[in-house]
Amino acid sequence: MRDCLRLLQPLIDTACRPSGMRQATRHMTPTAFEALPLAAPLHRVLRELNYHTPSPVQAQAIPLLLAGRDLLGCAQTGTGKTAGFALPILHALHENPRQIRPKTCRTLVLTPTRELAGQVGKSFSTYGAHIRFKQTLIYGGVGQNPQVSAMRGGVDVLVATPGRLLDLIEQRAVDLSAVEFFVLDEVDRMLDMGFLRDVKRIVALLPTNRQSLFFSATLAPNIVELAQTILRNPARVSITPEVTTAERINQQVCFVDRENKKPLLELLLADQAKAEVGKLTIVFSRTKHGANKLAKSLCAAGFPADAIHGNKSQAQREKALEKFKKGLTPVLVATDVAARGVDVKDVGLVVNYDLPNEPEAYVHRIGRTARAGAEGRAVSFCAEDEREFLREIEKVIKMPVPRWDDHAWHDEALADRHLRLRSGGGMVQGGGNRGGGRQGGGGGNRSKQGGGGNGGAGRDYSNASRRNNRRGPATVR
Ligand code: AMP
C-alpha cells in the first residue's frame, strides 16, 4: 500500500499541478447534469433516461474530459463510469464531425472481456441515441467476418478486446492511426488476464496526439507503471471500491467445512427465493469445472441455475446471461473471468462459494450486488484452507468481515482459528451476526444510509455523491 502510494505520488502531483485544475474541478463539481456543457442531444437523452444527478465519478471526470485532459480513474463498474467517459466522447464526436478513413476509428475502447465490450457498446448506443455516429464491437469467440466488414468504412467508436483486435490489425482489417480518444477500461482485470503485452502492442500503434482515459478498480504498482507510459499529464479521479463495500453491501462470512458448503448454499438460496427484492444470486466458484458441477447439483436440488465461465462459447454465455436477467434461471454460478462486467440490476445476493485467492477479486465479486445505489448482501464461505485468503481480504477492505453463524453448519473451532490468525495480524474483532435469525438477511453490518436505489433508470446518485464528498478524497490501494 505504501509502495503503491509512493509510486502514485508523481502522478497525483502532476494531476494537481499545472493550473490547479483538479482542485478547481472539485469546487465546481456539478450537482445536476444541466450544469455540464454537454451538447443538446446528450442533455435530451439524459432527460429521457431520467438521469438528473451525475454520479461522483461522472461529476469529477466529465468536466476534466471536456477540457481535453488525460485521466487516471480509480473506479469500477457500477459507479456510472461508462457514462463518465461515453458522454464527453460523444460530445466531442458531435461537435467535431470528421470524415473517417476506411478501417480506422476515432475512438478505441479496450475492455478485458466480450461481456464488458458488449455492455460498453450498448451504453454508447443509449447515450448517443440522438447523435449521428457509427460504432462496432470486436471480440473473440465469434466469426470475424462481420467485424471485418463493419470496419471497412471506418467507425467513430470501436469497442474491442485486445486479442481479436490484434488479430484484425495483423490482417490489416483495422488501422489505429486515426484514434483521437483511447479508453482502457478495467485495466487491473486486463493485466490479471495476461493482456499486458497485447495492451502495450496496441498502445504502440496509437498516434501520440490523442486523449487517453485509463480506468482500474485498483492501482497496484504495475498498473500505475503502465498508466505512466500511456497518459500525459493525467488528472486523477478516484471512487474507491472500499466505499462501496463498506457502506452498501451487507457482507458476511460463514466458517464452514468444505463438505457443508452445499447445504449452506441451498439454505441461502431458499431464503433468497423468498426475498422481496433482488431475487437473483451470483455464486462464485474458483474453477470452471467446479462451476459446472455446482450449477448441475443446484438444478437437481430444485434451484434453476446455469454456469458461465471462460470455456463457454460467446453464444452460450449470452444465453445464460439473458435467462439470468429475466429471472428464468435466478442463480448464476460463475468464475471470476466470466462475471466481469455483469451488470444486472436485481442481484440481491452474491455468494463466494470459494474465496478468491486475490483480495481484489473479492471487491469485484461483491460489487456485482448493490449496483447503482441499491443494497445487497454478500456471503462468503470460508473453509479451513481459505483462512489465509480471508485474512488478505480483510486487510484490503480494512475491516473484518462480520460472521454469520446462526445456521446448522457453523464451525466454531474454525472461526476461532481465524480470529487468532487475524489478531496475530493486528486486526480488530468485527461485529458478529449471532441471533441474526435463519434468514440472516438483516443483521450484522447492514448500512442504513445506503439510500436504496430503485434499480432502474433514473436512480438518484445524489446521496452517493454527498457520501463520497463527505469522505473526502478516496483511498488508494
Ligand atoms: P456503470 O458503472 O457505467 O456500469 O453504470 C452502472 C449503472 O448506473 C448503469 O445501469 C447505468 O445505466 C446507471 N447510471 C449511470 N449513470 C447514472 C446517473 N447519473 N443516474 C442514474 N443512473 C445512472
Side-chain angles (χ1 to χ4, degrees):
M1 161 81 185
R2 228 168 250 140
D3 275 359
C4 176
L5 269 176
R6 191 169 40 76
L7 270 158
L8 262 175
Q9 206 52 55
L11 274 178
I12 297 169
D13 292 344
T14 338
C16 295
R17 213 180 300 130
S19 57
M21 176 105 186
R22 188 162 165 253
Q23 292 93 325
T25 309
R26 269 221 192 112
H27 293 302
M28 295 186 312
T29 297
T31 51
F33 274 114
E34 280 97 78
L36 291 168
L38 290 165
L42 296 173
H43 280 299
R44 184 174 151 205
V45 90
L46 290 169
R47 278 195 302 274
E48 287 166 359
L49 289 170
N50 227 0
Y51 287 10
H52 302 291
T53 317
S55 73
V57 72
Q58 292 162 0
Q60 291 180 53
I62 294 174
L64 291 163
L65 294 172
L66 288 174
R69 295 287 301 271
D70 277 13
L71 190 88
L72 172 62
C74 186
Q76 59 181 165
T77 45
T79 55
K81 104 180 119 72
T82 319
F85 64 77
L87 290 170
I89 289 174
L90 286 164
H91 171 87
L93 296 174
H94 176 74
E95 295 289 297
N96 191 11
R98 275 202 193 136
Q99 189 73 28
I100 307 167
R101 279 190 282 119
K103 301 180 185 174
T104 66
C105 56
R106 294 184 67 187
T107 308
L108 172 64
V109 185
L110 271 191
T111 71
T113 65
R114 357 180 215 206
E115 279 79 13
L116 188 62
Q119 235 169 264
V120 170
K122 225 178 194 170
S123 298
F124 267 96
S125 305
T126 304
Y127 303 131
H130 305 306
I131 280 179
R132 278 165 65 100
F133 77 108
K134 260 169 74 184
Q135 75 154 327
T136 198
L137 303 180
I138 286 182
Y139 49 74
V142 293
Q144 67 164 49
N145 290 347
Q147 300 175 354
V148 171
S149 17
M151 282 306 295
R152 220 159 261 147
V155 292
D156 293 280
V157 178
L158 169 60
V159 187
T161 54
R164 173 61 66 87
L165 178 64
L166 279 169
D167 279 353
L168 296 194
I169 291 170
E170 268 159 28
Q171 295 171 40
R172 299 190 187 283
V174 177
D175 167 0
L176 297 185
S177 64
V179 171
E180 297 164 51
F181 308 101
F182 174 52
V183 184
L184 258 184
D185 200 8
E186 308 219 340
V187 182
D188 47 333
R189 189 55 37 175
M190 243 184 257
L191 300 196
D192 282 355
M193 291 166 71
F195 281 137
L196 180 60
R197 262 190 59 206
D198 287 354
V199 170
K200 284 185 169 167
R201 280 177 62 198
I202 291 166
V203 171
L205 297 170
L206 298 172
T208 45
N209 189 17
R210 59 167 200 263
Q211 191 176 0
S212 304
L213 289 61
F214 190 105
F215 289 98
S216 173
T218 56
L219 290 174
N222 59 341
I223 291 173
V224 175
E225 204 183 302
L226 180 68
Q228 276 166 327
T229 65
I230 292 172
L231 302 168
R232 277 181 317 177
N233 184 22
R236 190 171 163 273
V237 303
S238 196
I239 306 298
T240 49
E242 288 96 322
V243 174
T244 315
T245 54
E247 292 200 352
R248 289 212 314 265
I249 301 171
N250 175 23
Q251 298 172 70
Q252 294 164 325
V253 62
C254 298
F255 293 96
V256 61
D257 258 10
R258 196 159 276 285
E259 65 265 28
N260 290 332
K261 283 185 172 185
K262 238 191 86 213
L264 181 56
L265 176 62
E266 288 174 14
L267 167 74
L268 280 167
L269 292 179
D271 284 343
Q272 186 62 12
K274 292 184 223 140
E276 291 289 305
V277 283
K279 284 180 190 286
L280 304 182
T281 301
I282 302 183
V283 180
F284 282 96
S285 149
R286 198 174 307 141
T287 64
K288 298 167 194 166
H289 176 64
N292 280 339
K293 226 172 91 184
L294 192 55
K296 215 166 158 186
S297 84
L298 287 175
C299 287
F303 299 100
D306 210 340
I308 56 168
H309 50 69
N311 278 1
K312 296 237 171 175
S313 71
Q314 177 63 10
Q316 283 172 322
R317 287 201 216 181
E318 274 169 16
K319 200 167 146 212
L321 261 179
E322 231 13 77
K323 281 170 68 187
F324 179 60
K325 279 184 191 167
K326 288 184 181 149
L328 299 173
T329 43
V331 182
L332 193 65
V333 187
T335 56
D336 280 313
V337 166
R340 191 75 188 174
V342 172
D343 178 17
V344 181
K345 282 166 194 135
D346 290 327
V347 178
L349 174 66
V350 165
V351 179
N352 286 313
Y353 194 82
D354 301 311
L355 275 178
N357 50 7
E358 290 166 357
E360 281 79 13
Y362 174 83
V363 178
H364 288 306
R365 286 178 177 192
I366 69 170
R368 301 302 106 196
T369 183
R371 309 289 288 166
E375 290 194 11
R377 182 183 182 200
V379 182
S380 301
F381 294 174
C382 179
E384 182 67 46
D385 57 348
E386 293 171 301
R387 283 190 296 131
E388 191 56 48
F389 299 157
L390 179 60
R391 193 163 87 121
E392 288 304 312
I393 288 164
E394 291 182 324
K395 275 190 201 160
V396 163
I397 63 173
K398 300 188 191 81
M399 60 179 266
V401 181
R403 73 189 198 184
W404 177 45
D405 52 19
D406 191 23
H407 55 82
W409 300 279
H410 171 66
D411 185 336
E412 184 63 29
L414 177 56
D416 279 350
R417 281 196 292 283
H418 176 66
L419 189 58
R420 278 203 298 277
L421 179 73
R422 185 204 275 162
S423 321
M427 297 283 299
V428 288
Q429 164 68 358
N433 202 11
R434 284 168 199 271
R438 267 209 149 219
Q439 292 255 10
N445 69 337
R446 184 186 283 280
S447 159
K448 297 282 180 225
Q449 51 173 318
N454 61 8
R459 255 166 261 112
D460 184 3
Y461 267 110
S462 44
N463 282 345
S465 185
R466 276 196 291 279
R467 213 163 42 229
N468 222 55
N469 290 343
R470 200 174 56 233
R471 296 215 148 205
T475 359
V476 175
R477 271 188 283 133

